[in-house]
Amino acid sequence: MRTQHPRDASPLAALSPAESARLMAVIREAALSRGRLPLPARPVIGASWDRMLRLGLDPDHGRAPRPLGLDELERRRRQTRLAEVLPTLHNGLLDAAEAAAHIMIIADAEGRILWIDGHRGVRRQADGIALVEGSHWAEDVAGTSGIGTALAVKSPVRVHSAEHFVSAFHAWSCAAAPVHDPRDGRLLGVIDVSGPAGTAHPTVLSLVTATARWAEGELRLAHSRELEGLRAVAAPLLARIHGKAVVVDQHGWIAGVTGAV
């Protein structure tokens, strides 16, 4: 498949959402048929399409694995650190999502949707493409999408209309950003704003990215408080030790030291 091209794809940015969607549909069809592209897909999109073609993913429907059962969904919700920053995520995104007739989605590191909130009418439309709590939106299931591709590249991604590999999702636009655990860099999941492609705005990616960084900041502060608590417990113990000793948390962060040079 040909996805690299010496020209930039910036002409797409100058088009209206409807115009860019029509052009992207032409680019996608050429890519699927391995023909010459009229314009290159954006590198992140072209690379994702390559991955999907190598996987042999159905470009019309993707895969349809079973959604999580309610018990498993609740277990994942309880265990994820994303639950600790739900108020931050809602404050950062929910009002904007509803105002734009979009929805806010939080998925775990496997691409399983844990929470959805936002515009009621769009949520009903989302049911029709299995964009529901407990469903699976990793790339190898749903193809190129905000959720799956942000997880795959571990960076913020916007996927608009026919940039989705699966044609069933071409009426949608989405922007997603990963959230990492600041204690160890582990990928916790992604936050995403999705809605009708015709009303999407490219600046939503900046908002989603800023909110993800805000959430990581909240997690970093929580970790600092945990270290302070460990330090308070460790201090009297370290005071009784004659020699060198260090206290670290389970992630290797130092909470206290004695006797070190």
Side-chain angles (χ1 to χ4, degrees), residues 163-237:
E163 289 184 324
H164 290 88
F165 183 80
V166 176
S167 61
F169 311 143
H170 286 185
W172 290 78
S173 185
C174 49
V179 179
H180 293 87
D181 191 329
R183 300 174 302 184
D184 55 14
R186 179 171 55 92
L187 180 63
L188 297 174
V190 297
I191 56 174
D192 172 277
V193 170
S194 293
T199 60
H201 196 282
T203 58
V204 70
L205 181 60
S206 296
L207 176 61
V208 172
T209 302
T211 303
R213 301 295 82 79
W214 184 14
E216 290 175 345
E218 291 289 328
L219 293 173
R220 191 172 293 108
L221 286 174
H223 182 225
S224 295
R225 290 191 290 267
E226 292 170 0
L227 284 175
E228 286 296 330
L230 179 58
R231 189 171 294 119
V233 171
L237 300 176

Side-chain angles (χ1 to χ4, degrees), residues 132-143:
V132 297
E133 291 171 346
S135 61
H136 199 184
W137 277 73
E139 268 198 342
D140 61 345
V141 175

Side-chain angles (χ1 to χ4, degrees), residues 116-164:
I116 295 182
D117 207 343
H119 192 276
R120 288 186 178 182
V122 176
R123 289 193 66 174
R124 287 193 293 271
Q125 294 177 43
D127 291 345
I129 58 169
L131 192 60
V132 297
E133 291 171 346
S135 61
H136 199 184
W137 277 73
E139 268 198 342
D140 61 345
V141 175
T144 308
S145 71
I147 295 171
T149 305
L151 286 173
V153 302
K154 298 180 175 59
S155 296
V157 175
R158 179 175 184 254
V159 180
H160 178 65
S161 187
E163 289 184 324
H164 290 88

